[in-house]
């Protein structure tokens, strides 16, 4: 997930036009296409909510042919063979269907889906990139999960454009 420093993932109107940085941090590494490509190769499938799916289609589909499972109760269509629309109990979908087929399941965006993954203990890691912007208002990333979740910092990467990526392992109790 990408977030503002104050924890928002979108402006109040839903826009994400602020999700870039023109900052210059000399000690950071360059966020290159090769860096992104290597990272994306590690993902076996994506899980996202319907609003994130619709937003991704609008912005220009970044997921290629990697399988994408869109959780929705709505009737949606896609011209992409890699997209499958599913509904039902999230725990069953992840534990009974997806974990049997895929090693690295990547949950993409959305406050509601993030909250449910965390509440049900379905996430192993949180990977968040902070954009050097304070929005002051909008859609919160974690939006009142309702329980405490201890984390372990696994990795931090600072980029030349001022963005900082933090990877946290979720301590399972």
């Amino acid at each position: 997930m990408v977030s503002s420093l104050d924890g928002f993932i979108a402006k109040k109107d839903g826009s994400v036009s602020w999700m870039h940085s023109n900052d210059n941090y000399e000690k950071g590494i360059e966020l290159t296409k090769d860096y992104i490509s290597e990272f994306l190769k590690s993902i076996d499938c994506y899980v996202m909510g319907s609003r994130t799916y619709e937003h991704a289609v609008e912005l220009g589909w970044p997921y290629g042919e990697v399988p994408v499972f869109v959780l929705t109760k709505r009737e949606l269509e896609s011209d992409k063979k890699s997209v499958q629309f599913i509904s039902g109990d999230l725990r069953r979908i992840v534990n009974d269907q997806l974990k049997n087929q895929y090693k690295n399941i990547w949950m993409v965006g959305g406050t509601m889906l993030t909250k449910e993954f965390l509440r049900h203990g379905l996430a192993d890691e949180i990977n968040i990139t902070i954009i050097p912007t304070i929005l002051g208002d909008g859609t919160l990333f974690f939006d009142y999960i309702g329980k405490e979740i201890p984390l372990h910092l696994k990795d931090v990467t600072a980029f030349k454009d001022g963005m900082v990526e933090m990877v946290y392992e979720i301590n399972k109790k």
Side-chain angles (χ1 to χ4, degrees), residues 34-133:
D34 288 340
Y35 180 93
I36 295 168
S37 178
E38 269 312 300
F39 169 74
L40 293 177
K41 286 179 190 176
S42 72
I43 298 171
D44 298 321
C45 79
Y46 295 96
V47 177
M48 65 183 66
S50 59
R51 285 188 242 165
T52 300
Y53 165 75
E54 290 170 326
H55 199 66
V57 169
E58 285 175 22
L59 292 175
W61 192 250
Y63 306 105
E65 296 304 314
V66 176
V68 174
F69 297 90
V70 180
L71 298 167
T72 185
K73 294 177 183 164
R74 298 186 291 149
E75 291 292 323
L76 297 174
E77 295 182 10
S78 177
D79 60 352
K80 308 202 178 316
K81 294 178 184 176
S82 60
V83 173
Q84 183 177 343
F85 299 102
I86 55 177
S87 64
D89 182 81
L90 183 60
R91 288 170 290 202
R92 285 191 182 139
I93 290 169
V94 172
N95 291 325
D96 299 343
Q97 183 179 347
L98 300 180
K99 280 188 177 179
N100 293 331
Q101 291 182 287
Y102 305 102
K103 181 179 178 189
N104 191 1
I105 301 168
W106 194 261
M107 197 283 300
V108 179
T111 298
M112 293 183 337
L113 190 58
T114 299
K115 194 176 350 184
E116 291 307 305
F117 262 78
L118 291 170
R119 280 185 182 157
H120 296 302
L122 298 172
D124 299 318
E125 287 183 357
I126 295 174
N127 186 322
I128 185 164
T129 300
I130 303 297
I131 304 283
T133 299

